[in-house]
Every structure is written in C-alpha cells, then in structure tokens.
C-alpha cells in the first residue's frame, strides 16, 4: 500500500483538528496492513529536548497492538500560506519505521511532482541503512532481529 491522497488528507485533518490556528504545526498518518489509519501530532514541549515527532504516536500505537505499518506520511503547514507540505521521515522516524522493513512506503517532498510529494519505499529513502550489516543474508534486518 502506497502513501496516497487519502493518507495525506488524514494527516492534514489531524493537524487542523489539533492546531486549527497554529502557523507552524506537524501531523502524521499511517496505514496499517488492514488499511486502517492511525494519526498523530508532534509533541511540543517547553523543553525542546522533550519534543517528539508526529509519527511517534501512531508508531507506538501500532507496535503496542502488534499491528504492521505499511505506509506513513508527515505533513506541516507551509509558512505564510494555506497549503501543506510533506516532510520525509527524519532519521529517528526512519529507524522507528524500519521495524516493519524496507518496503514501508513513506511520503517525501518532491517539487518536480505535480502534487509536491511522492510515495517511496523506505529503502529508497535510506539505501545504506546501518543495520543491514546485521541482516542474516538479507538486505534488511527482520522484525524479530530489530526486537532483539
């Protein structure tokens, strides 16, 4: 399952519900293997070191319930406009999504694309994933290997 307009819209709806007037805000949405959607927002804290990415909530919820994430998108407001932009997952979120393997689709910003974003498998976003050195004869460690 790829990142699509419906997943983008789910993230935008979450952002609008949580921060209807904030000039800078971030939200995320993920597809689970069964097609259901989980959403989340960035945890902003006065102490910036305590902040968490928007994907963290849905990732923890999926992991806690033993469900598989197959696609993820993170959106933010475009400064000074009514539009939204897609943010590729940061390194920490790439690491979190890696639990479900290299085929997890993620939204990435792409100016050349008509929508301004596209869906890419995680392995294209992170082709030199460090933990591949520990994969047992594969290009990516299994979920079991990630769990230790």
């Amino acid at each position: 399952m790829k990142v699509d307009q419906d997943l983008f819209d789910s993230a935008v709806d979450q952002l609008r519900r949580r921060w209807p007037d904030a000039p800078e805000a971030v939200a995320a949405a993920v597809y689970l293997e069964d097609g259901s959607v989980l959403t989340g927002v960035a945890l902003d804290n006065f102490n910036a070191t305590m902040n968490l990415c928007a994907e963290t909530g849905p990732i923890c919820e999926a992991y806690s319930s033993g469900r598989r994430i197959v696609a993820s998108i993170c959106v933010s407001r475009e400064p000074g406009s009514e539009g939204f932009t897609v943010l590729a997952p940061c390194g920490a979120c790439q690491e979190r999504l890696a639990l479900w393997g290299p085929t997890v689709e993620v939204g990435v910003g792409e100016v050349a694309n008509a929508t301004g974003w596209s869906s890419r498998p995680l392995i294209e976003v992170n082709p030199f994933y460090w933990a591949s050195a520990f994969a047992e004869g594969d290009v990516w460690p299994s979920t079991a290997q990630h769990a230790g």
Side-chain angles (χ1 to χ4, degrees):
M1 181 175 293
K2 291 187 177 278
V3 174
D4 60 12
Q5 189 65 43
D6 288 339
L7 196 62
F8 174 89
D9 292 343
S10 293
V12 168
D13 290 345
Q14 174 63 62
L15 188 148
R16 286 181 171 146
R17 280 192 310 273
R18 179 62 179 91
W19 287 300
D21 301 319
E24 294 179 14
V26 179
V30 302
Y31 274 134
L32 300 176
E33 196 167 36
D34 65 3
S36 59
V37 175
L38 299 175
T39 62
V41 295
L43 175 63
D44 288 329
N45 190 297
F46 184 72
N47 179 345
T49 60
M50 296 298 107
N51 293 350
L52 292 173
C53 299
E55 298 97 330
T56 306
I59 287 170
C60 289
E61 187 175 344
Y63 189 78
S64 293
S65 62
R67 299 169 81 191
R68 179 175 168 68
I69 291 177
V70 295
S72 176
I73 192 169
C74 183
V75 300
S76 71
R77 282 210 170 90
E78 292 178 1
S81 81
E82 294 296 314
F84 298 89
T85 190
V86 171
L87 304 173
C90 71
C93 287
Q94 287 181 43
E95 188 68 31
R96 293 171 183 135
L97 291 167
L99 289 167
W100 291 284
T103 60
V104 172
E105 290 281 327
V106 295
V108 296
E110 227 178 88
V111 237
N113 191 309
T115 61
W117 56 271
S118 67
S119 181
R120 302 287 178 124
L122 193 55
I123 196 164
E124 280 185 25
V125 177
N126 192 348
F128 302 102
Y129 182 44
W130 70 272
S132 294
F134 303 100
E136 295 171 354
D138 202 354
V139 297
W140 205 272
S142 67
T143 301
Q145 287 174 298
H146 272 283

